[in-house]
Amino acid sequence: MSDSNLTVREGGDVLTSEPESEPESATEPWPVAAVVCLAAALLPISLTGGALAAPEVGSEFDSGVAATQWVANAYMLTFAAFMAVTGSLADRIGRRRVFLGGLTTFAAALFLAAAGPSVAVVDLARALAGAGAASVMTSGSAILADAYTGARRARVFAMLGTGIGLGLALGPLIGGGLIALGGWRTLFAVIAAVATVALLVSPLVIRESRGPEGDIDWGGGITFTAGLSTLIFALVEVQQRGWTDPLVLATAAAAAGLLVAFGVIERRRPEPLFDVSLLAVPKFAAVCVVPTVLAFGFVALLVVLPPYLESVEGADSGEIGLSLAIMTIPALVVPMFAGLIANRLAPRTILVLSLAAQGLGAAWLTAGFHPVAVALVGAGFGFSLAVLDGTAVSVVDPGRSGMAAGLFNTVRLTSEAVGIAAVGAALSTLLHGRVGEESAALLRGEAAEGLAIDYTGALAVVLWAVAGLSAAGAAIVWRLLSQPAPKPVAEPAVLS
């Protein structure tokens, strides 16, 4: 996403990043920020709500494991896969246009999901909603960067972060409450209705802007989107088809080929979507390890815990939402306290603590569901939020900070999509090995009865794997962030 150092307005006027006066919208700044932040807050609510709704959808349509999992996975897949393309598209054809198009797609898709006559329609609608969410997120950030300068820009981006954090923290409570009141269809319809309100207001307060002229990297965008999509498809379908199924093997091979092709294309472009050479910078690579590991813990557990709690613990939607809120609310609260100690502790220490907290919480959960254990997992995620984004851009040369921010956010969202699918696949495989075909019913949240010990045992293996991955990630991050910065190369002496 562009930070609007150069903006091309409708009509062809070119503005530099330091205008003599602030943009007109900045004189009354809050309407633009309020609309964008409201829309952004709905995106994590749709994610956590989808995770809560998946077992209910699967039970209503008596669907298989894969079809049920797609209710949550389809949204996250397209959200991550379309981030890069929609960001470039917004800079080229207009950020307001992409924002309105994305919000329209998001709202319409969720209305379609709410009225879905089959699980296939619900899954397709969720995929469309994820694509719309990607458009809203990328164009919304660019709109704020263009509309505000100086201290106002810092404030509105703090508002954006708070809005997303509130959506994540309160999403389980909102989702669980709406499902308990009116079912999963009510949940999707209410989110869509709020999005529609934001859509109706947006044209009145947001003006059009564009980024610097340039070509859209269609080759890179298509191969990345297709590669990530086929990889997630393989990981979700393996839960029902098995690891040796020809379709799973073919899509996994296609994913590998497409992602290799993406790397080749990007190396040849003068202005690639992502400068993958940044991953060769040890400290930047370390920062990317953190959200990757957290995606396999905190984010994935938001999706795999609801059917377990319903099946084994006998919890209803409201109780499940409350249980997940115990994990998500610390993710909002902890950064406030972590920020207070950020001046006393190095980012390396805070990031290692975040992974250690997640690992400890996951290990504790192997002994049974405990509120303190899930709060620890959420606290680990929250610790990282205090310093992660700033560290990502501070460990590279200032001239590459924009590219570093774009690559880091793509790594984060891609990891979340892959983590949800991979952890779900692991749990499904382990459970199927213990109870056979009964695993499908358990993963839809149906009562475990005599199979509770098998479900708990399979989940415990996954949790131990998360704990081990967190410990390994903490060690890697500590080592990479401990490396000294490279010494600048001395200029050669000029002999006269």
Side-chain angles (χ1 to χ4, degrees), residues 345-405:
L345 294 178
R348 175 187 63 184
T349 304
I350 294 175
L351 294 178
V352 168
L353 283 174
S354 74
L355 296 179
Q358 174 178 272
L360 180 59
W364 191 343
L365 281 171
T366 62
F369 188 86
H370 195 284
V372 177
V374 291
L376 268 175
V377 175
F381 188 81
F383 269 116
S384 73
L385 296 181
V387 297
L388 201 52
D389 291 89
T391 305
V393 297
S394 67
V395 296
V396 300
D397 295 333
R400 305 175 79 188
S401 61
M403 181 61 75

Side-chain angles (χ1 to χ4, degrees), residues 424-482:
L427 178 60
S428 176
T429 300
L430 289 167
L431 190 55
H432 187 273
R434 291 169 179 257
V435 303
E437 297 302 321
E438 294 293 332
S439 62
L442 295 179
L443 292 171
R444 289 198 301 264
E446 296 182 14
E449 297 177 348
L451 301 177
I453 191 171
D454 296 294
Y455 200 164
T456 301
L459 181 61
V461 173
V462 171
L463 290 168
W464 277 121
V466 170
L469 181 63
S470 300
I476 292 171
V477 170
W478 182 269
R479 180 176 178 81
L480 291 178
L481 288 180
S482 298

Side-chain angles (χ1 to χ4, degrees), residues 20-278:
E20 292 182 2
S21 61
E22 291 187 329
E24 181 181 348
S25 63
T27 59
E28 296 181 2
W30 306 127
V32 177
V35 169
V36 172
C37 292
L38 172 62
L42 295 175
L43 309 184
I45 294 175
S46 181
L47 169 63
T48 54
L52 290 167
E56 307 290 333
V57 175
S59 295
E60 178 169 329
F61 295 114
D62 194 26
S63 57
V65 176
T68 301
Q69 291 298 316
W70 275 121
V71 176
N73 285 321
Y75 177 81
M76 198 63 217
L77 163 61
T78 51
F79 194 171
F82 281 88
M83 283 284 285
V85 174
T86 55
S88 297
L89 197 63
D91 282 341
R92 302 301 181 267
I93 71 171
R95 294 154 181 160
R96 178 178 181 267
R97 181 180 300 174
V98 172
F99 182 83
L100 295 178
L103 201 51
T104 300
T105 302
F106 179 78
L110 288 179
F111 275 129
L112 176 61
S118 68
V119 69
V121 173
V122 175
D123 290 343
L124 175 61
R126 291 286 291 164
L128 290 173
S135 301
V136 170
M137 192 70 243
T138 53
S139 59
S141 298
I143 286 168
L144 295 181
D146 173 75
Y148 303 91
T149 59
R152 278 180 174 155
R153 179 183 291 178
R155 286 198 296 271
V156 296
F157 271 96
M159 287 175 59
L160 178 63
T162 301
I164 295 171
L166 283 171
L168 179 65
L170 301 181
L173 291 175
I174 295 171
L178 288 173
I179 293 173
L181 287 173
W184 61 271
R185 296 180 187 274
T186 300
L187 166 67
F188 291 145
V190 169
I191 297 174
V194 177
T196 301
V197 173
L199 176 62
L200 294 174
V201 176
S202 295
L204 305 177
V205 299
I206 298 175
R207 61 185 181 184
E208 188 61 280
S209 65
R210 293 180 174 86
E213 293 183 1
D215 296 330
I216 297 176
D217 183 5
W218 289 113
I222 290 171
T223 51
F224 175 77
T225 301
L228 180 59
S229 299
T230 50
L231 174 61
I232 303 299
F233 180 87
L235 289 172
V236 173
E237 289 299 317
V238 77
Q239 300 178 44
Q240 182 166 313
R241 298 173 180 270
W243 293 96
T244 59
D245 182 81
L247 179 62
V248 172
L249 294 175
T251 51
L258 286 165
L259 292 175
V260 169
F262 167 72
V264 172
I265 291 171
E266 294 305 284
R267 284 198 298 269
R268 294 179 177 178
R269 280 190 62 88
E271 296 182 2
L273 276 177
F274 313 119
D275 184 358
V276 293
S277 67
L278 285 169

